[in-house]
Amino acid sequence: MKKLVVNSFFAVVLGLLFTLAPLAVSAQCTMCKTQVESSRTEKDGYDFSGLNKGILYMAAIPYLLMGAVGYFWYRNTHPRNKAISK
């Protein structure tokens, strides 16, 4: 029972950290930031408001894929404990 409480607490804390992490992240590299600033000063009509979100999206995909592979690997290599109830 104690292990279940500790694991659920850890999962909630980890979920909160992952939820709040994108708020503090500025994803633009130096080259992207320079390009966007020069385009904004030229006023040529481009909308770059979604650039940070796009960069974060592209950066998150490999982590999600590796996490899924790791989860399924762990699930298939570790046997489940089956309690015998009589």
Side-chain angles (χ1 to χ4, degrees):
M1 182 69 176
K2 184 178 178 183
K3 187 176 181 179
L4 178 65
V5 172
V6 171
N7 284 343
S8 61
F9 176 73
F10 179 70
V12 168
V13 169
L14 192 63
L16 285 174
L17 288 175
F18 282 140
T19 302
L20 297 175
L23 298 177
V25 174
S26 177
Q28 286 183 351
C29 65
T30 306
M31 292 179 67
C32 296
K33 187 174 181 179
T34 306
Q35 188 67 23
V36 169
E37 287 175 356
S38 68
S39 295
R40 283 186 181 166
T41 58
E42 293 174 6
K43 306 267 192 247
D44 50 352
Y46 294 113
D47 183 21
F48 293 102
S49 61
L51 184 63
N52 276 342
K53 290 179 185 176
I55 293 170
L56 287 174
Y57 177 74
M58 290 188 325
I61 295 298
Y63 291 110
L64 291 173
L65 289 174
M66 290 305 296
V69 168
Y71 170 74
F72 287 116
W73 173 78
Y74 178 81
R75 188 173 170 198
N76 289 331
T77 57
H78 288 74
R80 295 183 185 179
N81 294 335
K82 295 184 181 180
I84 300 172
S85 60
K86 285 188 178 183

